Amino acid sequence: AQSVSQHNHHVILSEAASLELGCNYSYGGTVNLFWYVQYPGQHLQLLLKYFSGDPLVKGIKGFEAEFIKSKFSFNLRKPSVQWSDTAEYFCAVSGGSNTGKLIFGQGTTLQVKP
Amino acid sequence: SAVISQKPSRDICQRGTSLTIQCQVDSQVTMMFWYRQQPGQSLTLIATANQGSEATYESGFVIDKFPISRPNLTFSTLTVSNMSPEDSSIYLCSVKWSGELFFGEGSRLTVL
């Protein structure tokens, strides 16, 4: 069965610290990979996505993620976090033609202390 | 981008009643989706709603419990029928636009 696993449920960092959120997926085929962010009181927004090509993808607000096929991973990184990055982060995967059908991870709550 | 409005944003409902959630999009879209986020859990797709055809439900979700309408390319409704406390969740509408999935702000239902 398809699944997505996010290793960290709650992460607390100080401003300027580096961030890496783990995401592993289980899917038997070509995958599309996504990271979504939900800021407090706001709707889900797409941070970045990977469909094909360069496995290192850059998203908005300085975020990037690397697709490592051999490890079934798509970890999210940011070199230096800001207080405004406090949010919940979701990794998601889709396969096939229906890219509206996303399998989401459990989410990681990131708290950045000023 | 596509802007999605959902109503109601939140509601408190009594066991055994039904509630209809509306989703309005500012652009015409072929594919609309309904997701559920139960407390402390991740998002789960309930169904895919395409205009002019019956909704396609995911495993574990049935039309009698979650009837969906899709009368045109900018609007859809999801009804949560005969509610129980286990239906307390956030229900989100989403649309596929330019290859990207956009989400509404969600409708938070609490069933007493």
Side-chain angles (χ1 to χ4, degrees), chain A residues 36 46 99-102 104-105, chain B residues 31 35 42 58 96 100-101:
Chain A
Y36 281 85
L46 182 67
T99 54
K101 179 179 178 179
L102 297 183
F104 282 85
Chain B
M31 302 179 81
Y35 281 82
S42 188
E58 297 299 308
K96 190 175 177 184
E100 185 176 325
L101 207 60

Side-chain angles (χ1 to χ4, degrees), chain A residues 34 36 38 41-46 49 51 88 90 97-107, chain B residues 31 33 35 37 40-45 48 58 92 94 96 98-106:
Chain A
F34 307 83
Y36 281 85
Q38 187 168 27
Q42 297 188 28
H43 59 275
L44 275 170
Q45 302 173 40
L46 182 67
K49 62 187 177 186
F51 282 7
E88 188 152 17
F90 294 93
S97 59
N98 185 2
T99 54
K101 179 179 178 179
L102 297 183
I103 308 296
F104 282 85
Q106 308 94 311
Chain B
M31 302 179 81
F33 309 88
Y35 281 82
Q37 186 177 17
Q41 298 188 33
S42 188
L43 289 84
T44 302
L45 180 65
T48 301
E58 297 299 308
L92 297 106
S94 69
K96 190 175 177 184
S98 296
E100 185 176 325
L101 207 60
F102 290 87
F103 288 84
E105 294 187 4

Side-chain angles (χ1 to χ4, degrees), chain B residues 29-66:
Chain B
V29 293
T30 303
M31 302 179 81
M32 295 180 76
F33 309 88
W34 286 98
Y35 281 82
R36 180 177 74 179
Q37 186 177 17
Q38 293 178 298
Q41 298 188 33
S42 188
L43 289 84
T44 302
L45 180 65
I46 297 172
T48 301
N50 291 336
Q51 195 268 334
S53 62
E54 297 252 338
T56 303
Y57 289 82
E58 297 299 308
S59 176
F61 298 97
V62 295
I63 188 171
D64 289 345
K65 177 67 176 177
F66 297 102

Side-chain angles (χ1 to χ4, degrees), chain B residues 3-53:
Chain B
V3 178
I4 303 169
S5 303
Q6 280 187 237
K7 290 180 182 179
S9 58
R10 58 178 63 230
D11 207 341
I12 299 173
C13 309
Q14 296 299 317
R15 182 195 298 260
T17 62
S18 299
L19 182 79
T20 297
I21 302 167
Q22 298 179 2
C23 176
Q24 180 76 50
V25 189
D26 68 344
S27 306
Q28 292 187 335
V29 293
T30 303
M31 302 179 81
M32 295 180 76
F33 309 88
W34 286 98
Y35 281 82
R36 180 177 74 179
Q37 186 177 17
Q38 293 178 298
Q41 298 188 33
S42 188
L43 289 84
T44 302
L45 180 65
I46 297 172
T48 301
N50 291 336
Q51 195 268 334
S53 62

